[in-house]
Amino acid sequence: ELIEEIDALIGLGNIKAEVKSLVNSLQVQQMRKSQGLPNPEISNHMIFFGNPGTGKTTIARQLGHLYRQLGMLSRGHFIETDRSGLVGGYLGQTALKTTEVLNTALGGILFIDEAYTLSSTHGEDQYGQEAIDTILKYMEDRRDDLIVIAAGYENLMGEFLQSNPGMKSRFNKYFLFGDYTEDELAEIFLCIASSTSYFLDEQAEKHLRGIIRQIVQGKPENFGNGRTMRNLFERS
């Protein structure tokens, strides 16, 4: 049922295939465990690359449910945070604040949005580094009942992974969320509209697709995808 819910999402073809592959792998691990066979220690922490509004949060929530159903997480709940939720006002406070968030997420998924804001390529951000160090320790010590998903723009997340020697070794699953196509964006708009009993006639839908074409042709680097369609619907 969870896989069917993911399949019903608009677009995300590569992500759906990755999730199914991941589930198959987890099922094999569970079968081996039930037969008393050894399993290699595999990190389940992930990196989500992509622009805003591409379904990263939705997929992260569903993965929590999937891991719970497969017995890999005790609760499968979802905790979302960002730099402001992890970093304190002075050194020492950050470790306490980050630890509190991590404890809340135990048994489920901790989703860190715009995770790259914690790192600095020049090493002057002691507060962000304190949060990263605390997170990395938990990722190692509690990997049997905690999954950390760090998300953000593709190029900036590359810098984030380089910010700490132990970072890349902790994350071994990478998901790339691409921008939606014009047809997919139109489908998203129509779904948002129909959910509130608004329906476009043929002429209105043709006009909508023209607007979407203009938006896509001039889209910025941090294009909002589904969020842009929601904003367009609200303006309409």
Side-chain angles (χ1 to χ4, degrees), residues 174-187:
Y174 300 88
F175 293 77
L176 179 60
F177 291 73
D179 288 341
Y180 289 109
T181 66
E182 289 181 22
D183 285 341
E184 289 167 350
L185 290 169
E187 193 177 347

Side-chain angles (χ1 to χ4, degrees), residues 44-218:
N44 290 310
H45 307 300
M46 309 172 199
I47 296 286
F48 281 10
F49 301 105
N51 281 333
T54 47
K56 298 188 294 295
T57 305
T58 300
I59 292 295
R61 286 183 187 278
Q62 292 292 65
L63 284 175
H65 299 316
L66 281 168
Y67 273 87
R68 169 71 180 88
Q69 290 297 321
L70 291 165
M72 310 294 282
L73 288 173
S74 60
R75 296 174 61 193
H77 63 300
F78 177 86
I79 299 294
E80 182 175 2
T81 191
D82 56 16
R83 181 186 171 92
S84 65
L86 298 169
V87 172
Y90 53 84
L91 282 176
Q93 185 187 29
T94 291
L96 294 172
K97 194 172 180 180
T98 301
T99 299
E100 187 177 336
V101 174
L102 286 160
N103 284 334
T104 305
L106 277 178
I109 285 184
L110 176 62
F111 184 84
I112 307 174
D113 198 18
E114 298 181 340
Y116 53 83
T117 58
L118 293 172
S119 65
S120 170
T121 52
H122 306 295
E124 70 270 13
D125 184 3
Q126 293 176 286
Y127 300 98
Q129 191 58 52
E130 189 178 1
I132 288 173
D133 292 343
T134 306
I135 292 165
L136 289 178
K137 188 173 189 313
Y138 256 72
M139 287 169 66
E140 185 65 27
D141 295 348
R142 308 303 295 269
R143 64 179 180 271
D144 58 331
D145 202 22
L146 174 69
I147 294 174
V148 174
I149 299 177
Y153 300 118
E154 185 176 0
N155 58 333
L156 294 173
M157 288 304 291
E159 294 177 11
F160 172 73
L161 288 170
Q162 299 294 335
S163 68
N164 186 292
M167 192 76 76
K168 269 193 171 181
S169 64
R170 300 294 199 286
F171 294 99
N172 72 341
K173 294 179 177 65
Y174 300 88
F175 293 77
L176 179 60
F177 291 73
D179 288 341
Y180 289 109
T181 66
E182 289 181 22
D183 285 341
E184 289 167 350
L185 290 169
E187 193 177 347
I188 289 169
F189 183 98
L190 294 170
C191 281
I192 294 169
S194 64
S195 70
T196 50
S197 297
Y198 281 94
F199 302 94
L200 280 69
D201 62 19
E202 186 178 344
Q203 185 179 355
E205 185 172 335
K206 184 179 178 182
H207 184 59
L208 167 69
R209 289 181 180 275
I211 293 171
I212 290 173
R213 190 170 300 113
Q214 287 182 328
I215 290 172
V216 169
Q217 287 172 352

